[in-house]
Amino acid sequence: PFVLPPTDEGEKFYPHNHQPSITWLQNGDLLAIWYSTNSEYGPVLTVVASRLRPGKKTWDPSSVFFKAPNRNMHGSSIFHDGNGKIHHFNGMAPKAKATFRKLSLLMRTSNDNGVTWTPLTVLDDRFVPRNQVISGMLMTKAGVLIQNCDAGGVVKGTALHISRDGGKTWVDPGRDKPTPKFTEGGKGQGTIAGIHAKVVELADGRLLALGRGATINERMPMSISADLGKTWAYSASPFPPIGGGQRLVLKRLREGPLLFV
């Protein structure tokens, strides 16, 4: 387990630890981040981290990784692009607001295995329901970066933030678009059916996503896009739905097949 309490005095750590993200580093470390809090809605919520170093059997004690004072820092993702650059995405709620329903979206990067980080880039300075970061960033065969974010608890959908220039600029194809209806054979603009969705690139370049909630015919919803997330076609997947306390994994193995857990 990597959710270990800190040993240094003054490091923040709370009873509720949730929403992890993990990546590999070029120095051989694994780096895991997650949030620690006494309430998912409170401003004490902070992002902490731990490393598993080469040759070690246990993870380091946790330490604070990312925190703005008096802010709910809800939702994190960390991703290694394979060329030495680590991307870290995080949500941030309005000051002193006890909520994670509306968040701004922040990003920073590291080129030295997470020792130092660039100044923050604000990808979306609005406090909106489309910015709750979820682990599962993807880089397509063409080098397009895709970060998934929950699109709000009521909508039960997932938004994508997409960069075609290596992370310099980002766009949300579903920004300001009407909320779609997730039905068998239905179509919508810019939003995947289900929260906490995971996305993979198919062999023909289309995107395939599976999500939680927004069930279709009592099955887990499946969304497919042929235009990099601008529009989606919805259908029932072969899988049973999942709910609270459950998350799915969907990724392509190095050998080629898709893995669903």
Side-chain angles (χ1 to χ4, degrees):
F2 54 77
V3 180
L4 301 174
T7 54
D8 292 343
E9 185 177 354
E11 291 283 358
K12 301 296 184 183
F13 192 78
Y14 300 96
H16 183 59
N17 293 275
H18 189 43
Q19 207 161 319
S21 186
I22 187 171
T23 195
W24 62 280
L25 307 178
Q26 286 191 318
N27 67 353
D29 289 358
L30 294 180
L31 178 61
I33 64 175
W34 67 97
Y35 74 66
S36 185
T37 187
N38 52 21
S39 169
E40 292 193 7
Y41 294 90
V44 302
L45 188 149
T46 186
V47 182
V48 296
S50 180
R51 289 177 185 255
L52 181 65
R53 301 177 189 272
K56 299 294 183 180
K57 294 183 178 180
T58 58
W59 291 73
D60 291 348
S62 63
S63 58
V64 171
F65 180 73
F66 190 64
K67 174 62 176 172
N70 206 27
R71 303 261 189 163
N72 185 308
M73 311 298 295
H74 215 97
S76 306
S77 176
I78 195 165
F79 176 79
H80 184 186
D81 69 358
N83 297 308
K85 179 176 285 188
I86 311 301
H87 297 260
H88 166 223
F89 296 80
N90 224 95
M92 185 177 72
K95 189 174 182 179
K97 296 292 184 181
T99 182
F100 60 81
R101 299 302 184 194
K102 295 183 178 181
L103 302 162
S104 62
L105 182 59
L106 312 174
M107 185 193 77
R108 59 180 182 167
T109 61
S110 172
N111 289 300
D112 57 6
N113 299 301
V115 177
T116 62
W117 295 85
T118 60
L120 284 171
T121 298
V122 182
L123 303 185
D124 188 348
D125 61 1
R126 305 171 304 158
F127 293 102
V128 296
R130 295 183 67 82
N131 292 337
Q132 186 186 154
V133 179
I134 300 297
S135 181
M137 187 176 176
L138 169 71
M139 183 166 65
T140 70
K141 291 179 291 186
V144 177
L145 296 173
I146 301 175
Q147 176 59 55
N148 44 317
C149 292
D150 278 0
V154 176
V155 175
K156 296 293 185 186
T158 297
L160 296 185
H161 297 266
I162 295 174
S163 175
R164 298 174 181 266
D165 55 12
K168 295 178 183 178
T169 59
W170 294 81
V171 62
D172 172 3
R175 176 172 175 158
D176 303 323
K177 297 294 191 296
T179 302
K181 293 183 178 180
F182 306 127
T183 58
E184 180 69 33
K187 295 183 179 181
Q189 292 182 288
T191 301
I192 294 166
I195 62 171
H196 304 346
K198 296 297 187 291
V199 185
V200 292
E201 182 183 17
L202 299 178
D204 59 7
R206 293 180 300 162
L207 298 180
L208 167 69
L210 297 171
R212 189 180 96 180
T215 56
I216 298 176
N217 297 340
E218 299 183 350
R219 310 303 288 177
M220 179 181 289
M222 182 167 65
S223 305
I224 294 180
S225 175
D227 52 13
L228 207 61
K230 292 180 181 178
T231 59
W232 293 89
Y234 310 120
S235 62
S237 77
F239 307 114
I242 58 174
Q246 295 176 295
R247 300 234 177 168
L248 66 96
V249 173
L250 179 64
K251 64 188 307 178
R252 185 176 295 281
L253 300 178
R254 185 177 299 174
E255 295 81 3
L258 299 179
L259 172 68
F260 169 75
V261 182

